[in-house]
Amino acid sequence: MGLLLDHLEASGLDRDTVIIFTADHGDMMGDFGLLFKNKMYESSVKVPFIIRHPDFTGGKRTNSLTSHLDFLPTILDIAGTAEPSLPGSSLLPLLDDPALALHDAVFSEIYLFEPSDVKKIARSERAKRGEIAFAREKTDMHVRLMMRNQQYKCIRRGQGLRVDETELYDLLNDPEELYDLSCDSGLEPVMTAMTAKLDDFQKTQYRALAT
């Protein structure tokens, strides 16, 4: 990255070049005895997102909730265009005001096939026609969902619409996610509200894949 920045500055291109540094996922790296991605803990779902824009002063940080859905609207905004139908929001306003709240909550989802399911789907008629054989089969997949707001994170694991496990973490007071509060009766209203939103999110995703 340093070499790239040096070259841009030496050539004068840094004055009209926007650089975005990010990644598609994190990695557990041994946290909780786990490796790789596919987990809904912060080590896996948090990614770097750094913007260097010649029209904005650098050195600012934000705690605003963002997601991968914001990446494309941000790039289009930088290019001077927009597509209102896209999910997500441009992150450029955060360069002016890092305290701005763009989202009340963000979601993440992972759907995992069993090896036998992969073979079945690959041999399906839809796959032979070059279509993505995903929609109906997805209802039987192993599902991991996450919703978080500024304080709480709710994680769900199951198969299809069946829920097998739910976890709740207070990220303000327990940023390392050590204490599962899903059975804390005092937080029942929080659990009820977040699981209802996860229900709606998952059903919306299934409907989108079926079209």
Side-chain angles (χ1 to χ4, degrees), residues 98-119:
L100 185 67
L102 293 180
H103 303 292
D104 294 328
V106 290
F107 296 82
S108 185
E109 57 182 333
I110 300 172
Y111 299 90
L112 302 172
F113 286 114
E114 293 288 351
S116 58
D117 293 332
V118 175
K119 292 182 180 179

Side-chain angles (χ1 to χ4, degrees), residues 7-203:
H7 178 75
L8 288 171
E9 291 174 2
S11 61
L13 294 175
D14 61 308
R15 292 186 291 274
D16 60 359
T17 299
V18 176
I19 298 173
I20 297 176
F21 177 83
T22 187
D24 62 332
H25 58 81
D27 197 295
M28 294 304 296
M29 296 291 288
D31 289 350
F32 304 107
L34 301 171
L35 296 173
F36 311 123
K37 54 179 182 177
N38 296 337
K39 315 301 186 293
M40 289 301 177
Y41 301 116
E42 291 294 275
S43 302
S44 179
V45 297
K46 289 190 74 171
V47 298
F49 192 78
I50 302 171
I51 300 178
R52 182 186 186 275
H53 196 302
D55 296 337
F56 293 89
T57 303
K60 298 176 182 177
R61 297 175 65 93
T62 179
N63 291 319
S64 182
L65 296 174
T66 63
S67 81
H68 279 118
L69 294 178
D70 300 322
F71 291 2
L72 183 53
T74 300
I75 292 171
L76 291 176
D77 196 4
I78 291 171
T81 185
E83 176 49 64
S85 64
L86 287 173
S89 303
S90 171
L91 301 179
L92 282 193
L94 292 176
L95 299 185
D96 273 327
D97 182 6
L100 185 67
L102 293 180
H103 303 292
D104 294 328
V106 290
F107 296 82
S108 185
E109 57 182 333
I110 300 172
Y111 299 90
L112 302 172
F113 286 114
E114 293 288 351
S116 58
D117 293 332
V118 175
K119 292 182 180 179
K120 178 183 70 174
I121 294 170
R123 294 169 181 166
S124 69
E125 290 300 317
R126 291 183 65 193
K128 292 176 183 177
R129 295 196 302 268
E131 300 176 5
I132 299 175
F134 201 52
R136 293 184 181 177
E137 293 83 354
K138 188 171 182 179
T139 60
D140 297 323
M141 295 170 65
H142 294 281
V143 179
R144 294 172 185 168
L145 300 174
M146 181 276 289
M147 171 192 170
R148 70 154 294 178
N149 54 36
Q150 285 289 1
Q151 180 165 5
Y152 295 105
K153 174 193 284 187
C154 186
I155 298 173
R156 171 185 290 179
R157 301 181 188 86
Q159 186 170 3
L161 294 174
R162 188 188 75 217
V163 179
D164 295 329
E165 296 178 276
T166 303
E167 299 172 43
L168 180 70
Y169 296 97
D170 182 341
L171 296 177
L172 291 183
N173 298 298
D174 178 27
E176 295 182 349
E177 300 169 293
L178 299 177
Y179 303 101
D180 178 9
L181 303 175
S182 58
C183 294
D184 187 328
S185 60
L187 293 175
E188 184 175 353
V190 174
M191 276 288 291
T192 299
M194 296 188 81
T195 54
K197 290 182 179 179
L198 279 173
D199 285 341
D200 291 341
F201 173 78
Q202 186 174 8
K203 291 173 183 177

